[in-house]
Amino acid sequence: MYEAEFNGKKIKVSTDVSLFSPQGADRGTVAMLRHADFTPEDKLLDLGCGTGIVSLAACCFGVEPANITMTDIDSNAVRCAADNMAANGFAGASAVCGDGLEAVTDKGYTVILSNPPYHTDFKVAKAFIEKGFNRLKTGGRMLLVTKRKDWYKNKMISVFGGVRIFEEDGYFIFLSIKKSESYAKKGNKHK
């Protein structure tokens, strides 16, 4: 267990050695959260939720737990994230175990946040970006954090038509806004 603080609110995060960043909040994720600009009206998808730190932070900024979906391929992570939300008084979020967006049926998200696995090939990140785009409402935003820049920059531009990149603490934070219902690059098809 560790403590973290967002928007002046302290939270306690239970974890497990099998989960990502078990010793404390991941520096890259915290850097991404500094660029999230949550609003109470947000409908949030925490893609690859791990312990639920992103969802916990969002609640500290006023996002209603009932407007949050947390998903992870690891059932232990999903269980841990749901337990952490409840333990911090943020009950009501949806917790879904599945591969990326395969088990998430909802659409119309205003924000999707993810710290995708970037020490592998780009298959997972490609699916997160392309399928995430389709789950956002027009005007919605996607934030990703990685230690790699070029591939993510190019992919975000090809799908969203543009990207803002912030460099912080050795990480790259990518922010793209969905401006239309179609991918920016012609020839790409929706899935």
Side-chain angles (χ1 to χ4, degrees), residues 75-161:
S75 61
N76 188 32
V78 173
R79 191 171 29 259
C80 184
D83 290 349
N84 280 328
M85 291 287 281
N88 283 282
F90 302 132
S94 174
V96 180
C97 185
D99 188 359
L101 287 153
E102 296 301 321
V104 177
T105 58
D106 212 359
K107 292 183 177 187
Y109 291 101
T110 60
V111 62
I112 296 174
L113 295 103
S114 186
N115 185 342
Y118 50 85
H119 296 298
T120 61
D121 66 22
F122 296 105
K123 180 181 172 189
V124 173
K126 180 179 184 292
F128 278 17
I129 294 166
E130 291 176 357
K131 292 179 180 182
F133 175 91
N134 295 323
R135 300 304 176 89
L136 285 169
K137 69 184 268 183
T138 301
R141 60 207 185 277
M142 176 177 268
L143 287 102
L144 301 176
V145 61
T146 75
K147 285 198 170 213
R148 295 177 169 185
K149 183 179 180 184
D150 293 336
W151 185 90
Y152 286 89
K153 173 186 170 186
N154 294 333
K155 187 63 180 175
M156 296 290 276
I157 289 170
S158 76
V159 172
F160 285 88

Side-chain angles (χ1 to χ4, degrees), residues 5-16:
E5 185 175 329
F6 298 100
N7 197 29
K9 297 178 177 140
K10 290 186 180 183
I11 55 171
K12 291 185 179 186
V13 183
S14 291
T15 188
D16 182 274

Side-chain angles (χ1 to χ4, degrees), residues 4-111:
E5 185 175 329
F6 298 100
N7 197 29
K9 297 178 177 140
K10 290 186 180 183
I11 55 171
K12 291 185 179 186
V13 183
S14 291
T15 188
D16 182 274
V17 294
S18 70
L19 301 178
F20 176 67
S21 195
Q23 301 301 318
D26 171 68
R27 291 185 352 247
T29 301
V30 171
M32 176 181 64
L33 288 167
R34 283 194 279 271
H35 297 279
D37 294 326
F38 296 112
T39 67
E41 296 79 28
D42 275 329
K43 180 177 177 181
L44 182 140
L45 176 59
D46 185 352
L47 186 53
C49 65
T51 61
I53 190 73
V54 166
S55 296
L56 291 163
C59 288
C60 290
F61 284 95
V63 177
E64 290 293 324
N67 291 334
I68 295 175
T69 301
M70 304 177 295
T71 186
D72 202 293
I73 196 167
D74 183 338
S75 61
N76 188 32
V78 173
R79 191 171 29 259
C80 184
D83 290 349
N84 280 328
M85 291 287 281
N88 283 282
F90 302 132
S94 174
V96 180
C97 185
D99 188 359
L101 287 153
E102 296 301 321
V104 177
T105 58
D106 212 359
K107 292 183 177 187
Y109 291 101
T110 60
V111 62

